[in-house]
Every structure is written in C-alpha cells, then in structure tokens.
Amino acid sequence: PVSFDRRFPKTGGGEDVDFCIRSQQHFGKCVAVPGACVLHPYWDRPLKQISGWADGDVLCLETLPLSTFRAPPNWIEIAFVTILLRRPDLTLLAIFIEVLMLVPRFLSNTSSRESLRQRLLVATVAVIPPMLQDIRRLRSKLVRLRLSHFCLHFDWMNKTGNH
C-alpha cells in the first residue's frame, strides 16, 4: 500500500524520508535494516544531486506539512528581498554573514594535522554546496509560486534533533 512518490526527483531528495514517514503513519513504525545497501548511480554528478535534493526538500513541504516548521528568513530569502529592493550592499552582507556562520562549523570537521590556512580554505570551500542548495530551494519555491513557503523548512530530523 505504500510506495515511493514519483513526484520526487530521480536524483534523490526527500523520497526516502517521505516513504519512511508515510510507512510509519500506515504501519505504525519504520525499522532500520543495518545490512541494507542502496546504490545511487546519480551521485557521480554532485551538482545534479545537490539540486535534486533541494527540489525534493521543497516537495516535502507539500507532501508532509506536519513535518515542517517556520523560522526566520535564511540568507537567500534575505538576499532575494534585498535584490528586489536594489540593495546589493545588503545582498553581499547576507552572503558574508552566512559564510561567516558556516565556516566555523565546517572548520571543526577539518583535520587538525593541516595548517590553519589549509583548514580555513577547506572550510570556506565547504560552504558552497549548502549555499547552492539554499539557492535551489528558493528557485524551487519561486517556480512553484509558493511564496507562502518562505521561512518554511522541512524537519529532516522528524522532531528528534537540531537543524
């Protein structure tokens, strides 16, 4: 009775979470299978996977509305408004603040064997994929004309953890 929702992108992005949450609603629980193995042939194209994941994230807002939460606008939503207001200085400030907030998080995951300069470079480059995902999420919301989805986020932790 429960199958994968074909609306989700083939690149991955939300279909597994959607399937598990709907299975849990239907059967009462969802169990992990430690020996299971999933192959994703599309992960050799990381930008396509990043965009598919972000599109799927926005689809989850519609398919699983009980697993969403409101939050203050993120950097790209602020940047979008500042672009509309023709304030490039504020757009750059929003980008700078986001990078400034993400770099320490990624810095803590770098190897302490490397120099601080190398670690900072790696941490700075590491902010690119999540920022691209934010851009793609905004695009997906705009393409679907879902302005009500601004400041709306999908709860990937299903009320079990931090975002």
Side-chain angles (χ1 to χ4, degrees), residues 78-96:
I78 291 169
F80 179 71
V81 171
T82 63
I83 289 168
L84 292 178
L85 296 174
R86 297 182 182 174
R87 291 291 310 267
D89 56 328
L90 295 179
T91 305
L92 291 173
L93 182 61
I95 294 167
F96 177 75

Side-chain angles (χ1 to χ4, degrees), residues 99 102-104 106-107 110 117-129 131:
V99 170
L102 286 177
V103 165
F106 290 113
L107 189 62
T110 60
R117 183 176 174 189
Q118 288 173 315
R119 293 174 63 214
L120 281 171
L121 177 63
V122 168
T124 303
V125 170
V127 306
I128 295 171
M131 291 182 78

Side-chain angles (χ1 to χ4, degrees), residues 6-71:
R6 296 189 185 279
R7 289 179 291 177
F8 285 92
K10 296 284 186 251
T11 57
E15 78 289 348
D16 50 353
V17 174
D18 173 73
F19 179 84
C20 289
I21 290 174
R22 286 185 300 108
S23 294
Q24 204 168 15
Q25 291 167 345
H26 186 74
F27 297 110
K29 66 179 179 175
C30 189
V31 297
V33 181
C37 180
V38 177
L39 298 176
H40 294 288
Y42 41 80
W43 279 12
D44 61 342
R45 297 172 65 196
L47 291 179
K48 188 169 175 79
Q49 194 269 330
I50 285 171
S51 64
W53 188 85
D55 288 343
D57 187 31
V58 172
L59 259 175
C60 284
L61 299 175
E62 297 171 14
T63 62
L64 299 163
L66 297 178
S67 295
T68 62
F69 63 95
R70 292 254 172 221

Side-chain angles (χ1 to χ4, degrees), residues 95-162:
I95 294 167
F96 177 75
I97 290 171
E98 180 69 4
V99 170
L100 205 59
M101 290 175 52
L102 286 177
V103 165
R105 186 173 88 190
F106 290 113
L107 189 62
S108 66
N109 293 326
T110 60
S111 172
S112 58
R113 293 175 291 176
E114 305 296 332
S115 71
L116 179 59
R117 183 176 174 189
Q118 288 173 315
R119 293 174 63 214
L120 281 171
L121 177 63
V122 168
T124 303
V125 170
V127 306
I128 295 171
M131 291 182 78
L132 288 174
Q133 286 176 332
D134 287 340
I135 293 168
R136 185 63 183 223
R137 276 188 205 96
L138 176 65
R139 179 194 172 279
S140 191
K141 290 175 182 181
L142 292 173
V143 166
R144 289 183 171 88
L145 300 176
R146 301 291 195 265
L147 299 182
S148 63
H149 286 175
F150 275 50
C151 303
L152 185 65
H153 305 276
F154 184 70
D155 183 6
W156 287 99
M157 303 301 141
N158 202 20
K159 301 179 179 83
T160 62
N162 270 342

